[in-house]
Amino acid sequence: MGKLLCIQTFGCQMNKLDSRLVADALLADGCELTDDEKAADVILYNTCSVRKHAEERVFSRLGVLKRLKAERPEVVIGVIGCMAQRAPDEIIRRAPHVDIICGPQDLPNLPAILADYEPGRGCFVATGGSEEWPESLRDACRSPVSAFVSVMRGCNRFCSYCIVPYVRGRARSRLLEDIATEVRQLVDAGAREITLLGQDVNAYTDEKGRRLWHVLAELAQVDGLRRLRFVTSHPATVERELFETMARYGVICPYLHLPAQSGANRVLEAMNRGYTRGRYLEIIREARVIVLGLEVASDFIVGFPGETDREYHMTVDLMWQARFQNCFIFKYSPRPGTKASKMDDDVPLEKKRKRNAGLLSIQKEIMEERHKELEGESFEVFVQGVSKRDKGKLTGRTRTNRIVVFEGDESLAGRFVEVAIDSSTPLTLFGHIEEDAS
Ligand code: 5AD
Ligand code: SF4
């Protein structure tokens, strides 16, 4: 095709992976990538629906593209991903200059849709769903040192606030052998860190009944792989075998992203989460006993319908007890069609903001304390490259996903080094290289 392609990604890691898969497929068709929307022949926005704010950002960016489309009508503009699935009519109404709308389950068909697309024929909408697993679009030769692999897609849990089951469909798992083949190809092509992705990753069950820990145990044998991670786990379904497998294989990082969402039982029930506050704390206690050095990260939603001050303080208390490695905190946003959207969104925005800021400041305090404890220790760091904040320094991640900044040569990117920690802030550890551990 020889066209210039620009993809902008909003949302989660699964979306980042999908953008990469789409890019790989279109590059194989002869497209070239550009970061410059003005120069592109095809502009794709891979979108998120998880909160209203995420969608409004896309609409405002689409608004900017209107001028570009008026100047160069031959430019093909596509909205792909979760928002394309959730709201095709709204996109057509609010952004009539969009040419292609393609949901997450239709991405394997996108190369064909683009090849057949004739400008001026109106918007082409694909939201029907494809049986094909999109990883088949991947070009392993272009593997980065750190790669994502999806092992399951979709979700059956129907948390009352969540749009995911509606836009990404029912849970389906990939065959263990297919995952292992892909991971071997990626590692052969240079990947050293693999992150397995799934909206409800520990619900993974393939057609032969194998669970996530079977996948992890298999991948732990892949020669050359240094770090294996998986996100995102659900507290209602994590099993002891998963933790035992994590403990058994050094290559599996002692890191668990296990969103709690709230510390109050009434809210957890209204969210349809399937566990209590006590059970959540018990799980992480058990996991920390089994997996040496385990760090747990979490997500929280503040201002869920009916959340009282007392219930918010239950979340505060849970955060102090759990001492998370990191927390992502969100203000509740009603999503059309979900069960919670029928409840009264009665916590005023100002209160949501205050609670959001409250949890963030507690998490900051916890991280500050924890980072002080880590000063003087050494960690294996996977070097990502030059630090964005401090161009003279490198940045990388520990096995538990903490950010480390240190001096070193750019050529160390993609390698492993041992870094001794000298100082810290709540978000970052600062240190110096002790040795090259590659
Ligand atoms: N409003 C606010 N936050 C939400 N999340 C999911 N749905 C909503 C919503 N309707 C948050 C949850 C989830 C993370 C990806 O986004 O915390 O874990
Ligand atoms: Fe957003 Fe969820 Fe879709 Fe990811 S799966 S892009 S978080 S709506």
Side-chain angles (χ1 to χ4, degrees):
M1 253 182 346
K3 289 188 169 156
L4 267 181
L5 168 72
C6 178
I7 306 189
Q8 310 277 4
T9 308
F10 303 79
C12 63
Q13 287 171 329
M14 190 70 92
N15 260 20
K16 287 187 192 139
L17 168 62
D18 283 347
S19 290
R20 177 153 191 114
L21 296 174
V22 164
D24 277 351
L26 294 175
L27 293 182
D29 276 0
C31 283
E32 276 175 57
L33 279 178
T34 173
D35 289 333
D36 182 6
E37 287 183 347
K38 290 199 183 77
D41 302 303
V42 178
I43 302 173
L44 298 176
Y45 283 0
N46 192 5
T47 58
C48 174
S49 278
V50 85
R51 282 169 291 278
K52 187 164 197 289
H53 176 69
E55 293 194 348
E56 288 309 319
R57 267 178 61 212
V58 172
F59 277 121
S60 94
R61 293 282 299 272
L62 284 172
V64 177
L65 287 189
K66 199 171 185 164
R67 267 229 349 245
L68 192 117
K69 182 77 176 174
E71 283 163 16
R72 290 177 52 217
E74 71 282 5
V75 176
V76 176
I77 299 176
V79 176
I80 64 176
C82 294
M83 198 176 142
Q85 188 72 30
R86 194 196 72 74
D89 298 342
E90 191 178 340
I91 296 169
I92 292 170
R93 183 167 50 79
R94 291 178 62 181
H97 50 293
V98 168
D99 301 293
I100 289 171
I101 295 178
C102 181
Q105 281 73 254
D106 291 81
L107 292 178
N109 301 327
L110 188 62
I113 293 170
L114 274 170
D116 292 346
Y117 184 75
E118 286 171 32
R121 295 262 305 266
C123 185
F124 186 92
V125 181
T127 52
S130 156
E131 293 288 299
E132 203 184 326
W133 199 272
E135 252 82 354
S136 57
L137 301 176
R138 189 199 288 265
D139 175 1
C141 303
R142 269 189 280 265
S143 160
V145 286
S146 179
F148 294 122
V149 172
S150 70
V151 296
M152 61 84 66
R153 285 172 176 265
C155 182
N156 293 345
R157 296 210 58 89
F158 287 93
C159 298
S160 63
Y161 52 81
C162 187
I163 194 79
V164 171
Y166 303 91
V167 289
R168 290 227 175 232
R170 293 296 76 75
R172 55 226 177 261
S173 300
R174 238 173 134 194
L175 200 63
L176 183 147
E177 286 79 6
D178 292 351
I179 299 167
T181 303
E182 191 191 357
V183 167
R184 277 196 207 96
Q185 280 171 358
L186 289 168
V187 173
D188 284 348
R192 293 292 163 261
E193 175 179 69
I194 297 279
T195 305
L196 305 180
L197 297 183
Q199 272 81 21
D200 181 12
V201 74
N202 51 299
Y204 174 92
T205 313
D206 77 356
E207 60 192 50
K208 295 188 181 162
R210 281 142 335 163
R211 307 300 317 273
L212 182 64
W213 66 83
H214 296 115
V215 178
L216 291 169
E218 176 77 24
L219 300 183
Q221 321 288 333
V222 173
D223 257 357
L225 180 59
R226 296 281 296 257
R227 287 185 180 183
L228 182 56
R229 305 174 184 282
F230 54 96
V231 287
T232 296
S233 301
H234 194 293
T237 47
V238 279
E239 289 142 307
R240 202 183 161 87
E241 287 91 336
L242 176 67
F243 303 140
E244 287 170 352
T245 308
M246 290 173 80
R248 194 169 309 136
Y249 299 100
V251 64
I252 307 173
C253 293
Y255 174 83
L256 190 67
H257 185 198
L258 193 73
Q261 309 297 2
S262 169
N265 285 337
R266 200 235 11 123
V267 177
L268 287 171
E269 193 171 346
M271 287 177 165
N272 191 29
R273 290 290 288 173
Y275 55 88
T276 60
R277 156 202 184 81
R279 175 73 191 127
Y280 183 88
L281 287 167
E282 191 182 302
I283 293 167
I284 61 173
R285 212 174 299 127
E286 184 191 13
R288 282 170 169 159
V289 170
I290 300 173
V291 186
L292 205 68
L294 181 76
E295 300 259 21
V296 183
S298 186
D299 296 356
F300 289 97
I301 297 176
V302 291
F304 186 80
E307 188 187 61
T308 62
D309 284 340
R310 195 175 162 275
E311 285 165 344
Y312 164 69
H313 284 291
M314 299 289 286
T315 301
V316 168
D317 182 70
L318 182 124
M319 273 178 80
W320 281 119
Q321 285 198 46
R323 293 194 23 119
F324 293 109
Q325 182 268 359
N326 195 7
C327 281
F328 303 93
I329 296 153
F330 306 101
K331 296 187 281 295
Y332 172 69
S333 160
R335 306 311 298 132
T338 60
K339 203 165 159 217
S341 70
K342 290 166 196 86
M343 303 173 191
D344 188 11
D345 181 18
D346 55 356
V347 179
L349 184 59
E350 202 36 50
K351 199 159 229 174
K352 284 183 186 165
R353 283 203 185 114
K354 273 210 178 110
R355 290 178 181 172
N356 191 75
L359 293 191
L360 280 175
S361 84
I362 291 163
Q363 182 57 25
K364 197 171 156 197
E365 225 175 289
I366 290 169
M367 287 166 83
E368 185 166 15
E369 271 178 32
R370 181 80 186 116
H371 281 184
K372 287 275 168 268
E373 291 166 12
L374 298 178
E375 288 176 17
E377 291 193 27
S378 294
F379 296 97
E380 181 202 78
V381 172
F382 187 24
V383 185
Q384 287 175 310
V386 176
S387 160
K388 279 196 190 112
R389 289 250 178 94
D390 185 347
K391 297 273 183 246
K393 296 208 166 131
L394 297 178
T395 179
R397 297 259 179 179
T398 65
R399 296 172 61 75
T400 59
N401 232 7
R402 292 187 189 275
I403 300 168
V404 186
V405 171
F406 49 97
E407 266 173 33
D409 192 84
E410 231 178 287
S411 63
L412 289 173
R415 307 260 298 266
F416 292 83
V417 292
E418 200 70 21
V419 177
I421 305 306
D422 306 313
S423 63
S424 65
T425 63
L427 285 181
T428 313
L429 298 168
F430 298 92
H432 63 273
I433 296 182
E434 286 195 315
E435 58 178 294
D436 185 339
S438 282

